[in-house]
Amino acid sequence: LEGHISQLMSIHGIDGEEKAVVYVGWDTRPSSLALSQALTAGANCMHATEVRAVGLCTTPALHSVVRNVNLGLPDTLDYYFDTMANTFKTLFASCPPPTGADVTVVIDCANGVGRETGLALQQRLQDCLRIVLYNTGEGTLNAACGAEATQKSRQLPEGTPCAGDARLPSDSNSSGPVYYFSVDGDADRLVAFAPWPAAGSNAIKLFDGDRIIALFCYSLQRILAQTSSSFQVGAVQRSE
C-alpha cells in the first residue's frame, strides 16, 4: 500500500514532507468503519500526515469540520452543532410563528447517522422548536424510509407519526404547525412532505430539492425587491 501511495505522490508531484492533516469520519453503514480504518492506514503511510478522527457523523458535519479548520475555527462536532443551532435561532427570531403557536418538526432519520445530528439539535433548540425523531436505528438503514425512498414512492416513510400518535404533542397549547422531513442514510439529502390522507392512507404531498430551491430563490427575490440592489436571481436545474 505504501508503495502505491508513493507512486501516486510522485506522479502528481505531491511533497510527502509537507505536513497535512486528514479528518476522517464514518456513518452507520456496516462498511463505513472498515473503510475509515483503511483510509487512516493509507494516510499514515504519508509520514508527514496527521490523521484526526471526527468519529460517527453525517457527511455535512465532516465537510463543515474541514471548512472550519481551514478558516482557523474549532474542529469539533460540538462547535458545528452550536453554530447550526445559533444560526437557526437567529433566523427563527426574525420570522416568529403565530402568537401562541408551537412549531413541531418531525424528522425521519432513515435509521442512519442523521440521528446523531438530530439529537444534538433537539437538545440545543428545545427552547424554540419541538423536534420529534423517528427511524433512529431500530430498523434497517434506508428500508422503506429515508429521503430517496420517500421521494420515489411518494409514500409516508415507515413509522411516520401522524395525528393522534403519542409521539406528537397532544396538550392544548400545542396548536402550531407540524412539519415533516426525511433525510437519507448519511444525512446529506433532505426532502419535506406532508401526509395527504385524502389521496390514501400513506400518501404524501412531496416537497423535494427542486421545489425547496425554487422557494428559496422566490424568497430571495422578494427580499431583494425591497432594496436598491441590482442583483438578479436565477436558478439552474441539473438533469440526471
Side-chain angles (χ1 to χ4, degrees):
L1 177 60
E2 186 171 0
H4 287 300
I5 292 176
S6 297
Q7 183 180 13
L8 286 172
M9 291 172 63
S10 176
I11 292 173
H12 296 287
I14 299 172
D15 183 1
E17 297 305 316
E18 183 176 350
K19 183 173 176 57
V21 180
V22 176
Y23 285 85
V24 180
W26 52 89
D27 58 29
T28 58
R29 284 174 284 200
S31 60
S32 189
L33 185 57
L35 287 172
S36 71
Q37 292 169 342
L39 174 60
T40 299
N44 282 333
C45 291
M46 302 168 67
H47 302 295
T49 299
E50 177 186 354
V51 180
R52 297 181 184 176
V54 177
L56 187 66
C57 65
T58 65
T59 298
L62 181 60
H63 291 171
S64 294
V65 166
V66 173
R67 172 186 177 274
N68 289 340
V69 171
N70 290 331
L71 294 176
L73 299 171
D75 62 354
T76 65
L77 288 176
D78 278 338
Y79 181 81
Y80 165 70
F81 295 140
D82 290 341
T83 301
M84 283 188 63
N86 292 335
T87 301
F88 179 83
K89 287 180 180 180
T90 300
L91 177 64
F92 197 69
S94 68
C95 50
T99 303
D102 293 325
V103 175
T104 299
V105 172
V106 182
I107 304 175
D108 161 31
C109 298
N111 290 311
V113 74
R115 169 184 179 272
E116 307 304 316
T117 296
L119 289 173
L121 295 179
Q122 191 180 56
Q123 178 184 11
R124 288 165 171 80
L125 296 175
Q126 57 184 330
D127 58 338
C128 66
L129 192 68
R130 180 185 290 105
I131 298 178
V132 177
L133 306 174
Y134 70 108
N135 290 331
T136 55
E138 62 277 9
T140 303
L141 179 68
N142 289 326
C145 61
E148 184 174 358
T150 302
Q151 183 179 34
K152 289 181 176 179
S153 70
R154 298 297 201 271
Q155 297 285 305
L156 288 173
E158 188 174 277
T160 301
C162 295
D165 192 291
R167 290 169 290 178
L168 295 182
S170 58
D171 57 281
S172 58
N173 295 323
S174 301
S175 57
V178 178
Y179 299 107
Y180 291 85
F181 298 92
S182 180
V183 298
D184 66 347
D186 59 344
D188 64 352
R189 180 179 178 185
L190 175 145
V191 297
F193 63 93
W196 193 13
S201 59
N202 290 318
I204 61 171
K205 291 184 178 180
L206 183 71
F207 197 72
D208 60 11
D210 290 338
R211 294 184 178 184
I212 291 172
I213 195 62
L215 178 61
F216 174 80
C217 290
Y218 174 69
S219 300
L220 193 56
Q221 284 179 325
R222 292 183 60 187
I223 293 171
L224 291 174
Q226 299 172 20
T227 71
S228 58
S229 171
S230 60
F231 283 110
Q232 293 184 337
V233 179
V236 177
Q237 181 176 353
R238 179 173 62 91
S239 60
E240 295 183 351

